[in-house]
């Protein structure tokens, strides 16, 4: 797990409704998880590691600085918040999941409210993820690390949508049949390459 953060706790608090009394350790864990899991999935291991090492060395400049400032940080605000919500809202105890009411009091979780809040944050995270993916696709030549992964343990960038489309075709020929009947089918993750 990384100890280098591409977004500050202060920026996360500024752009979300995380209260000032939320424990710093919960926020740092959320940032770490969102970077290691979500951001590394989008950037790939080599580009992700380069950004972390440049930040550590204080040498983040040029295209890499633009990537972090204009795309990565916007994405991380909501990705980190999405991971933090579990720790803020729910606490695992011997008697199940509880909502802290302040002090030593707790009450049972209202899953409906929690799910609404979490989905709202996830929608924003996915919006900024799309912007980040589109930028990386269009500017792939600026970041050679995107195509240099050679080891099985290195994540290659994943530009696919992690959330679903309203139209899902089975693999047994429905997509081909739709194309045969004149319906245009294309991969949204590669917009610059129009369908045949």
């Amino acid at each position: 797990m990384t100890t280098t953060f591409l977004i500050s706790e202060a920026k996360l608090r500024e752009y979300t409704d995380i209260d000032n009394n939320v424990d710093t350790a919960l926020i740092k864990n959320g940032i770490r998880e969102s970077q290691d899991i979500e951001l590394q999935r989008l950037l790939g291991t080599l580009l992700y590691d380069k950004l972390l090492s440049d930040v550590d060395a204080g040498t983040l400049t040029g295209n890499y600085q633009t990537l972090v400032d204009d795309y990565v940080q916007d994405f991380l605000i909501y990705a980190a918040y999405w991971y933090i919500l579990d720790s803020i809202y729910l606490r695992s105890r011997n008697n199940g999941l509880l909502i802290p009411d302040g002090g030593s009091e707790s009450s049972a979780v209202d899953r409906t409210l929690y799910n609404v809040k979490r989905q709202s944050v996830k929608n924003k995270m996915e919006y900024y993820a799309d912007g980040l993916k589109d930028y990386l696709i269009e500017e792939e030549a600026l970041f050679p690390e995107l195509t240099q992964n050679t080891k099985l343990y290195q994540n290659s960038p994943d530009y696919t949508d992690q959330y679903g489309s309203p139209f899902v075709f089975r693999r047994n020929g429905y997509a081909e049949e739709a194309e045969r009947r004149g319906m245009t089918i294309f991969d949204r993750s590669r917009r610059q390459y129009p369908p045949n």
Side-chain angles (χ1 to χ4, degrees), residues 114-153:
Y114 172 71
N115 288 337
V116 167
K117 178 65 172 177
R118 192 149 159 101
Q119 186 60 49
S120 171
V121 172
K122 186 175 182 183
N123 290 344
K124 293 172 187 172
M125 176 179 76
E126 290 170 346
Y127 172 80
Y128 286 108
D130 283 347
L132 173 59
K133 289 186 283 189
D134 291 346
Y135 178 73
L136 290 173
I137 289 168
E138 290 295 329
E139 304 298 343
E140 186 175 323
L142 300 177
F143 307 105
E145 299 83 3
L146 289 171
T147 58
Q148 293 177 348
N149 289 333
T150 58
K151 308 284 187 209
L152 288 175
Y153 58 84

mmCIF file of all heavy atoms in Angstrom, residues 114-153:
data_model
loop_
_atom_site.group_PDB
_atom_site.id
_atom_site.type_symbol
_atom_site.label_atom_id
_atom_site.label_comp_id
_atom_site.label_asym_id
_atom_site.label_seq_id
_atom_site.Cartn_x
_atom_site.Cartn_y
_atom_site.Cartn_z
ATOM 1 N N TYR A 114 -28.211 5.185 3.383
ATOM 2 C CA TYR A 114 -26.805 4.932 3.097
ATOM 3 C C TYR A 114 -26.608 4.632 1.604
ATOM 4 O O TYR A 114 -25.702 5.175 0.973
ATOM 5 C CB TYR A 114 -26.308 3.763 3.950
ATOM 6 C CG TYR A 114 -24.926 3.291 3.587
ATOM 7 C CD1 TYR A 114 -23.814 4.072 3.876
ATOM 8 C CD2 TYR A 114 -24.734 2.077 2.953
ATOM 9 C CE1 TYR A 114 -22.547 3.646 3.537
ATOM 10 C CE2 TYR A 114 -23.471 1.646 2.612
ATOM 11 C CZ TYR A 114 -22.384 2.427 2.906
ATOM 12 O OH TYR A 114 -21.126 2.007 2.569
ATOM 13 N N ASN A 115 -27.458 3.794 1.039
ATOM 14 C CA ASN A 115 -27.330 3.433 -0.381
ATOM 15 C C ASN A 115 -27.562 4.627 -1.295
ATOM 16 O O ASN A 115 -26.911 4.759 -2.333
ATOM 17 C CB ASN A 115 -28.284 2.294 -0.725
ATOM 18 C CG ASN A 115 -27.838 0.981 -0.131
ATOM 19 O OD1 ASN A 115 -26.664 0.781 0.170
ATOM 20 N ND2 ASN A 115 -28.780 0.072 0.067
ATOM 21 N N VAL A 116 -28.497 5.504 -0.939
ATOM 22 C CA VAL A 116 -28.743 6.709 -1.744
ATOM 23 C C VAL A 116 -27.505 7.600 -1.759
ATOM 24 O O VAL A 116 -27.072 8.077 -2.811
ATOM 25 C CB VAL A 116 -29.977 7.478 -1.216
ATOM 26 C CG1 VAL A 116 -30.057 8.861 -1.831
ATOM 27 C CG2 VAL A 116 -31.250 6.697 -1.480
ATOM 28 N N LYS A 117 -26.922 7.824 -0.594
ATOM 29 C CA LYS A 117 -25.721 8.672 -0.501
ATOM 30 C C LYS A 117 -24.560 8.042 -1.267
ATOM 31 O O LYS A 117 -23.869 8.708 -2.035
ATOM 32 C CB LYS A 117 -25.346 8.883 0.971
ATOM 33 C CG LYS A 117 -24.102 9.698 1.185
ATOM 34 C CD LYS A 117 -24.290 11.112 0.714
ATOM 35 C CE LYS A 117 -23.100 11.973 1.100
ATOM 36 N NZ LYS A 117 -23.238 13.330 0.595
ATOM 37 N N ARG A 118 -24.362 6.766 -1.071
ATOM 38 C CA ARG A 118 -23.242 6.078 -1.718
ATOM 39 C C ARG A 118 -23.404 6.089 -3.241
ATOM 40 O O ARG A 118 -22.429 6.275 -3.967
ATOM 41 C CB ARG A 118 -23.156 4.650 -1.182
ATOM 42 C CG ARG A 118 -21.893 3.953 -1.563
ATOM 43 C CD ARG A 118 -21.507 2.972 -0.499
ATOM 44 N NE ARG A 118 -20.619 1.972 -1.016
ATOM 45 C CZ ARG A 118 -19.311 1.981 -0.828
ATOM 46 N NH1 ARG A 118 -18.762 2.909 -0.102
ATOM 47 N NH2 ARG A 118 -18.559 1.035 -1.341
ATOM 48 N N GLN A 119 -24.622 5.893 -3.741
ATOM 49 C CA GLN A 119 -24.852 5.908 -5.183
ATOM 50 C C GLN A 119 -24.607 7.301 -5.760
ATOM 51 O O GLN A 119 -24.058 7.441 -6.851
ATOM 52 C CB GLN A 119 -26.265 5.436 -5.521
ATOM 53 C CG GLN A 119 -26.511 5.296 -7.010
ATOM 54 C CD GLN A 119 -25.583 4.285 -7.673
ATOM 55 O OE1 GLN A 119 -25.436 3.160 -7.195
ATOM 56 N NE2 GLN A 119 -24.949 4.672 -8.770
ATOM 57 N N SER A 120 -24.990 8.327 -5.035
ATOM 58 C CA SER A 120 -24.751 9.700 -5.481
ATOM 59 C C SER A 120 -23.256 9.969 -5.637
ATOM 60 O O SER A 120 -22.809 10.534 -6.642
ATOM 61 C CB SER A 120 -25.361 10.682 -4.477
ATOM 62 O OG SER A 120 -24.982 11.996 -4.778
ATOM 63 N N VAL A 121 -22.474 9.549 -4.670
ATOM 64 C CA VAL A 121 -21.021 9.735 -4.739
ATOM 65 C C VAL A 121 -20.438 8.882 -5.862
ATOM 66 O O VAL A 121 -19.565 9.335 -6.609
ATOM 67 C CB VAL A 121 -20.368 9.403 -3.378
ATOM 68 C CG1 VAL A 121 -18.863 9.409 -3.476
ATOM 69 C CG2 VAL A 121 -20.832 10.389 -2.309
ATOM 70 N N LYS A 122 -20.938 7.662 -6.036
ATOM 71 C CA LYS A 122 -20.428 6.786 -7.095
ATOM 72 C C LYS A 122 -20.706 7.373 -8.476
ATOM 73 O O LYS A 122 -19.869 7.284 -9.373
ATOM 74 C CB LYS A 122 -21.052 5.396 -6.977
ATOM 75 C CG LYS A 122 -20.458 4.412 -7.956
ATOM 76 C CD LYS A 122 -20.999 3.021 -7.755
ATOM 77 C CE LYS A 122 -20.312 2.076 -8.733
ATOM 78 N NZ LYS A 122 -20.836 0.734 -8.651
ATOM 79 N N ASN A 123 -21.872 7.978 -8.657
ATOM 80 C CA ASN A 123 -22.191 8.611 -9.939
ATOM 81 C C ASN A 123 -21.180 9.701 -10.279
ATOM 82 O O ASN A 123 -20.735 9.828 -11.420
ATOM 83 C CB ASN A 123 -23.598 9.192 -9.928
ATOM 84 C CG ASN A 123 -24.676 8.137 -9.910
ATOM 85 O OD1 ASN A 123 -24.430 6.969 -10.195
ATOM 86 N ND2 ASN A 123 -25.877 8.545 -9.555
ATOM 87 N N LYS A 124 -20.809 10.505 -9.295
ATOM 88 C CA LYS A 124 -19.811 11.561 -9.513
ATOM 89 C C LYS A 124 -18.444 10.958 -9.802
ATOM 90 O O LYS A 124 -17.709 11.434 -10.671
ATOM 91 C CB LYS A 124 -19.760 12.479 -8.301
ATOM 92 C CG LYS A 124 -21.039 13.276 -8.114
ATOM 93 C CD LYS A 124 -21.050 14.028 -6.808
ATOM 94 C CE LYS A 124 -22.415 14.658 -6.601
ATOM 95 N NZ LYS A 124 -22.556 15.240 -5.270
ATOM 96 N N MET A 125 -18.093 9.893 -9.081
ATOM 97 C CA MET A 125 -16.817 9.220 -9.315
ATOM 98 C C MET A 125 -16.758 8.692 -10.748
ATOM 99 O O MET A 125 -15.747 8.851 -11.439
ATOM 100 C CB MET A 125 -16.641 8.072 -8.317
ATOM 101 C CG MET A 125 -15.388 7.259 -8.541
ATOM 102 S SD MET A 125 -15.155 5.917 -7.353
ATOM 103 C CE MET A 125 -16.329 4.712 -7.927
ATOM 104 N N GLU A 126 -17.836 8.093 -11.223
ATOM 105 C CA GLU A 126 -17.863 7.549 -12.576
ATOM 106 C C GLU A 126 -17.798 8.654 -13.633
ATOM 107 O O GLU A 126 -17.177 8.477 -14.683
ATOM 108 C CB GLU A 126 -19.111 6.689 -12.765
ATOM 109 C CG GLU A 126 -19.043 5.402 -11.974
ATOM 110 C CD GLU A 126 -20.341 4.629 -11.936
ATOM 111 O OE1 GLU A 126 -21.404 5.202 -12.292
ATOM 112 O OE2 GLU A 126 -20.309 3.460 -11.546
ATOM 113 N N TYR A 127 -18.416 9.788 -13.348
ATOM 114 C CA TYR A 127 -18.340 10.923 -14.274
ATOM 115 C C TYR A 127 -16.882 11.370 -14.447
ATOM 116 O O TYR A 127 -16.396 11.544 -15.580
ATOM 117 C CB TYR A 127 -19.194 12.081 -13.753
ATOM 118 C CG TYR A 127 -19.011 13.350 -14.546
ATOM 119 C CD1 TYR A 127 -19.664 13.528 -15.756
ATOM 120 C CD2 TYR A 127 -18.168 14.367 -14.095
ATOM 121 C CE1 TYR A 127 -19.490 14.689 -16.503
ATOM 122 C CE2 TYR A 127 -17.995 15.524 -14.829
ATOM 123 C CZ TYR A 127 -18.648 15.680 -16.026
ATOM 124 O OH TYR A 127 -18.468 16.822 -16.759
ATOM 125 N N TYR A 128 -16.184 11.557 -13.347
ATOM 126 C CA TYR A 128 -14.784 11.989 -13.431
ATOM 127 C C TYR A 128 -13.878 10.877 -13.962
ATOM 128 O O TYR A 128 -12.870 11.155 -14.614
ATOM 129 C CB TYR A 128 -14.299 12.513 -12.080
ATOM 130 C CG TYR A 128 -14.883 13.873 -11.781
ATOM 131 C CD1 TYR A 128 -15.864 14.042 -10.813
ATOM 132 C CD2 TYR A 128 -14.474 14.996 -12.487
ATOM 133 C CE1 TYR A 128 -16.412 15.295 -10.548
ATOM 134 C CE2 TYR A 128 -15.023 16.248 -12.238
ATOM 135 C CZ TYR A 128 -15.984 16.383 -11.271
ATOM 136 O OH TYR A 128 -16.522 17.622 -11.024
ATOM 137 N N ALA A 129 -14.229 9.621 -13.720
ATOM 138 C CA ALA A 129 -13.460 8.509 -14.293
ATOM 139 C C ALA A 129 -13.569 8.526 -15.813
ATOM 140 O O ALA A 129 -12.580 8.299 -16.513
ATOM 141 C CB ALA A 129 -13.959 7.180 -13.737
ATOM 142 N N ASP A 130 -14.766 8.810 -16.334
ATOM 143 C CA ASP A 130 -14.942 8.904 -17.784
ATOM 144 C C ASP A 130 -14.071 10.004 -18.377
ATOM 145 O O ASP A 130 -13.451 9.818 -19.427
ATOM 146 C CB ASP A 130 -16.405 9.163 -18.142
ATOM 147 C CG ASP A 130 -17.270 7.929 -18.033
ATOM 148 O OD1 ASP A 130 -16.725 6.816 -17.917
ATOM 149 O OD2 ASP A 130 -18.512 8.086 -18.071
ATOM 150 N N GLY A 131 -14.014 11.160 -17.715
ATOM 151 C CA GLY A 131 -13.164 12.248 -18.195
ATOM 152 C C GLY A 131 -11.699 11.864 -18.194
ATOM 153 O O GLY A 131 -10.959 12.152 -19.142
ATOM 154 N N LEU A 132 -11.257 11.196 -17.140
ATOM 155 C CA LEU A 132 -9.872 10.740 -17.038
ATOM 156 C C LEU A 132 -9.570 9.714 -18.132
ATOM 157 O O LEU A 132 -8.543 9.813 -18.810
ATOM 158 C CB LEU A 132 -9.617 10.144 -15.647
ATOM 159 C CG LEU A 132 -8.275 9.476 -15.401
ATOM 160 C CD1 LEU A 132 -7.122 10.440 -15.632
ATOM 161 C CD2 LEU A 132 -8.227 8.917 -13.979
ATOM 162 N N LYS A 133 -10.460 8.751 -18.341
ATOM 163 C CA LYS A 133 -10.243 7.739 -19.380
ATOM 164 C C LYS A 133 -10.199 8.375 -20.765
ATOM 165 O O LYS A 133 -9.328 8.040 -21.571
ATOM 166 C CB LYS A 133 -11.351 6.683 -19.329
ATOM 167 C CG LYS A 133 -11.260 5.767 -18.131
ATOM 168 C CD LYS A 133 -12.277 4.645 -18.185
ATOM 169 C CE LYS A 133 -13.644 5.132 -17.815
ATOM 170 N NZ LYS A 133 -14.629 4.030 -17.643
ATOM 171 N N ASP A 134 -11.108 9.297 -21.036
ATOM 172 C CA ASP A 134 -11.132 9.956 -22.343
ATOM 173 C C ASP A 134 -9.839 10.730 -22.592
ATOM 174 O O ASP A 134 -9.288 10.709 -23.696
ATOM 175 C CB ASP A 134 -12.332 10.893 -22.456
ATOM 176 C CG ASP A 134 -13.653 10.147 -22.523
ATOM 177 O OD1 ASP A 134 -13.636 8.923 -22.740
ATOM 178 O OD2 ASP A 134 -14.701 10.798 -22.346
ATOM 179 N N TYR A 135 -9.343 11.416 -21.570
ATOM 180 C CA TYR A 135 -8.084 12.158 -21.699
ATOM 181 C C TYR A 135 -6.934 11.196 -21.993
ATOM 182 O O TYR A 135 -6.115 11.457 -22.878
ATOM 183 C CB TYR A 135 -7.809 12.958 -20.428
ATOM 184 C CG TYR A 135 -6.507 13.704 -20.461
ATOM 185 C CD1 TYR A 135 -6.353 14.844 -21.249
ATOM 186 C CD2 TYR A 135 -5.417 13.273 -19.716
ATOM 187 C CE1 TYR A 135 -5.143 15.536 -21.290
ATOM 188 C CE2 TYR A 135 -4.211 13.959 -19.749
ATOM 189 C CZ TYR A 135 -4.071 15.081 -20.529
ATOM 190 O OH TYR A 135 -2.885 15.752 -20.574
ATOM 191 N N LEU A 136 -6.866 10.091 -21.268
ATOM 192 C CA LEU A 136 -5.781 9.132 -21.484
ATOM 193 C C LEU A 136 -5.849 8.498 -22.865
ATOM 194 O O LEU A 136 -4.815 8.270 -23.500
ATOM 195 C CB LEU A 136 -5.822 8.035 -20.406
ATOM 196 C CG LEU A 136 -5.445 8.482 -19.004
ATOM 197 C CD1 LEU A 136 -5.697 7.357 -18.004
ATOM 198 C CD2 LEU A 136 -3.991 8.940 -18.933
ATOM 199 N N ILE A 137 -7.047 8.236 -23.345
ATOM 200 C CA ILE A 137 -7.203 7.655 -24.684
ATOM 201 C C ILE A 137 -6.747 8.655 -25.749
ATOM 202 O O ILE A 137 -5.995 8.318 -26.657
ATOM 203 C CB ILE A 137 -8.660 7.225 -24.920
ATOM 204 C CG1 ILE A 137 -8.989 6.001 -24.064
ATOM 205 C CG2 ILE A 137 -8.907 6.925 -26.396
ATOM 206 C CD1 ILE A 137 -10.465 5.676 -23.995
ATOM 207 N N GLU A 138 -7.194 9.896 -25.627
ATOM 208 C CA GLU A 138 -6.850 10.926 -26.618
ATOM 209 C C GLU A 138 -5.370 11.306 -26.569
ATOM 210 O O GLU A 138 -4.782 11.624 -27.584
ATOM 211 C CB GLU A 138 -7.701 12.175 -26.404
ATOM 212 C CG GLU A 138 -9.147 11.990 -26.762
ATOM 213 C CD GLU A 138 -9.376 11.717 -28.234
ATOM 214 O OE1 GLU A 138 -8.609 12.209 -29.079
ATOM 215 O OE2 GLU A 138 -10.324 10.974 -28.536
ATOM 216 N N GLU A 139 -4.783 11.285 -25.378
ATOM 217 C CA GLU A 139 -3.401 11.746 -25.212
ATOM 218 C C GLU A 139 -2.450 10.596 -24.886
ATOM 219 O O GLU A 139 -1.443 10.788 -24.208
ATOM 220 C CB GLU A 139 -3.337 12.814 -24.109
ATOM 221 C CG GLU A 139 -4.247 14.006 -24.343
ATOM 222 C CD GLU A 139 -3.925 14.798 -25.599
ATOM 223 O OE1 GLU A 139 -2.816 14.661 -26.148
ATOM 224 O OE2 GLU A 139 -4.802 15.552 -26.048
ATOM 225 N N GLU A 140 -2.743 9.421 -25.374
ATOM 226 C CA GLU A 140 -1.941 8.232 -25.061
ATOM 227 C C GLU A 140 -0.465 8.419 -25.406
ATOM 228 O O GLU A 140 0.419 7.925 -24.711
ATOM 229 C CB GLU A 140 -2.511 7.024 -25.810
ATOM 230 C CG GLU A 140 -1.866 5.718 -25.450
ATOM 231 C CD GLU A 140 -2.552 4.542 -26.127
ATOM 232 O OE1 GLU A 140 -3.779 4.559 -26.268
ATOM 233 O OE2 GLU A 140 -1.827 3.603 -26.498
ATOM 234 N N ALA A 141 -0.168 9.159 -26.455
ATOM 235 C CA ALA A 141 1.222 9.364 -26.879
ATOM 236 C C ALA A 141 2.026 10.148 -25.841
ATOM 237 O O ALA A 141 3.255 10.037 -25.799
ATOM 238 C CB ALA A 141 1.252 10.091 -28.217
ATOM 239 N N LEU A 142 1.369 10.926 -24.997
ATOM 240 C CA LEU A 142 2.079 11.711 -23.980
ATOM 241 C C LEU A 142 2.548 10.871 -22.805
ATOM 242 O O LEU A 142 3.403 11.302 -22.038
ATOM 243 C CB LEU A 142 1.171 12.831 -23.447
ATOM 244 C CG LEU A 142 0.665 13.851 -24.456
ATOM 245 C CD1 LEU A 142 -0.284 14.828 -23.760
ATOM 246 C CD2 LEU A 142 1.821 14.576 -25.111
ATOM 247 N N PHE A 143 1.973 9.684 -22.655
ATOM 248 C CA PHE A 143 2.251 8.847 -21.493
ATOM 249 C C PHE A 143 2.675 7.450 -21.951
ATOM 250 O O PHE A 143 1.847 6.538 -22.024
ATOM 251 C CB PHE A 143 1.010 8.770 -20.596
ATOM 252 C CG PHE A 143 0.464 10.122 -20.218
ATOM 253 C CD1 PHE A 143 -0.683 10.612 -20.819
ATOM 254 C CD2 PHE A 143 1.121 10.911 -19.289
ATOM 255 C CE1 PHE A 143 -1.182 11.864 -20.486
ATOM 256 C CE2 PHE A 143 0.639 12.164 -18.951
ATOM 257 C CZ PHE A 143 -0.517 12.641 -19.556
ATOM 258 N N PRO A 144 3.956 7.265 -22.268
ATOM 259 C CA PRO A 144 4.403 5.969 -22.789
ATOM 260 C C PRO A 144 4.187 4.816 -21.808
ATOM 261 O O PRO A 144 4.084 3.665 -22.221
ATOM 262 C CB PRO A 144 5.895 6.189 -23.062
ATOM 263 C CG PRO A 144 6.276 7.408 -22.299
ATOM 264 C CD PRO A 144 5.039 8.230 -22.157
ATOM 265 N N GLU A 145 4.065 5.115 -20.531
ATOM 266 C CA GLU A 145 3.858 4.074 -19.516
ATOM 267 C C GLU A 145 2.542 3.324 -19.717
ATOM 268 O O GLU A 145 2.375 2.206 -19.227
ATOM 269 C CB GLU A 145 3.878 4.673 -18.106
ATOM 270 C CG GLU A 145 5.167 5.336 -17.717
ATOM 271 C CD GLU A 145 5.279 6.779 -18.216
ATOM 272 O OE1 GLU A 145 4.316 7.300 -18.819
ATOM 273 O OE2 GLU A 145 6.335 7.383 -18.003
ATOM 274 N N LEU A 146 1.600 3.932 -20.430
ATOM 275 C CA LEU A 146 0.305 3.295 -20.641
ATOM 276 C C LEU A 146 0.419 1.989 -21.429
ATOM 277 O O LEU A 146 -0.419 1.101 -21.282
ATOM 278 C CB LEU A 146 -0.650 4.244 -21.378
ATOM 279 C CG LEU A 146 -1.163 5.434 -20.586
ATOM 280 C CD1 LEU A 146 -1.912 6.398 -21.486
ATOM 281 C CD2 LEU A 146 -2.045 4.982 -19.441
ATOM 282 N N THR A 147 1.425 1.885 -22.262
ATOM 283 C CA THR A 147 1.543 0.714 -23.135
ATOM 284 C C THR A 147 2.775 -0.136 -22.853
ATOM 285 O O THR A 147 3.089 -1.034 -23.630
ATOM 286 C CB THR A 147 1.587 1.168 -24.602
ATOM 287 O OG1 THR A 147 2.700 2.059 -24.776
ATOM 288 C CG2 THR A 147 0.295 1.852 -25.007
ATOM 289 N N GLN A 148 3.471 0.107 -21.750
ATOM 290 C CA GLN A 148 4.720 -0.602 -21.487
ATOM 291 C C GLN A 148 4.621 -1.714 -20.449
ATOM 292 O O GLN A 148 5.633 -2.315 -20.099
ATOM 293 C CB GLN A 148 5.800 0.394 -21.052
ATOM 294 C CG GLN A 148 6.201 1.342 -22.139
ATOM 295 C CD GLN A 148 7.213 2.376 -21.673
ATOM 296 O OE1 GLN A 148 7.462 2.531 -20.482
ATOM 297 N NE2 GLN A 148 7.790 3.089 -22.614
ATOM 298 N N ASN A 149 3.449 -2.003 -19.928
ATOM 299 C CA ASN A 149 3.325 -3.087 -18.957
ATOM 300 C C ASN A 149 3.673 -4.412 -19.612
ATOM 301 O O ASN A 149 3.147 -4.752 -20.660
ATOM 302 C CB ASN A 149 1.895 -3.172 -18.404
ATOM 303 C CG ASN A 149 1.564 -2.020 -17.483
ATOM 304 O OD1 ASN A 149 2.438 -1.440 -16.859
ATOM 305 N ND2 ASN A 149 0.295 -1.685 -17.406
ATOM 306 N N THR A 150 4.595 -5.167 -18.988
ATOM 307 C CA THR A 150 5.008 -6.450 -19.562
ATOM 308 C C THR A 150 4.881 -7.603 -18.578
ATOM 309 O O THR A 150 5.039 -8.753 -18.965
ATOM 310 C CB THR A 150 6.476 -6.381 -20.033
ATOM 311 O OG1 THR A 150 7.299 -6.038 -18.917
ATOM 312 C CG2 THR A 150 6.640 -5.374 -21.145
ATOM 313 N N LYS A 151 4.625 -7.335 -17.336
ATOM 314 C CA LYS A 151 4.549 -8.370 -16.309
ATOM 315 C C LYS A 151 3.093 -8.677 -15.971
ATOM 316 O O LYS A 151 2.238 -7.797 -16.016
ATOM 317 C CB LYS A 151 5.270 -7.918 -15.029
ATOM 318 C CG LYS A 151 6.685 -7.428 -15.247
ATOM 319 C CD LYS A 151 7.616 -8.585 -15.470
ATOM 320 C CE LYS A 151 9.050 -8.058 -15.512
ATOM 321 N NZ LYS A 151 9.916 -8.813 -16.298
ATOM 322 N N LEU A 152 2.823 -9.891 -15.603
ATOM 323 C CA LEU A 152 1.465 -10.285 -15.246
ATOM 324 C C LEU A 152 0.939 -9.523 -14.036
ATOM 325 O O LEU A 152 -0.245 -9.250 -13.931
ATOM 326 C CB LEU A 152 1.398 -11.788 -14.961
ATOM 327 C CG LEU A 152 1.515 -12.697 -16.175
ATOM 328 C CD1 LEU A 152 1.551 -14.151 -15.742
ATOM 329 C CD2 LEU A 152 0.363 -12.460 -17.132
ATOM 330 N N TYR A 153 1.827 -9.183 -13.102
ATOM 331 C CA TYR A 153 1.393 -8.494 -11.888
ATOM 332 C C TYR A 153 1.213 -6.981 -12.095
ATOM 333 O O TYR A 153 0.767 -6.291 -11.206
ATOM 334 C CB TYR A 153 2.360 -8.749 -10.723
ATOM 335 C CG TYR A 153 3.787 -8.325 -10.998
ATOM 336 C CD1 TYR A 153 4.186 -7.013 -10.800
ATOM 337 C CD2 TYR A 153 4.719 -9.240 -11.447
ATOM 338 C CE1 TYR A 153 5.486 -6.614 -11.059
ATOM 339 C CE2 TYR A 153 6.019 -8.856 -11.698
ATOM 340 C CZ TYR A 153 6.396 -7.553 -11.498
ATOM 341 O OH TYR A 153 7.691 -7.155 -11.756
#
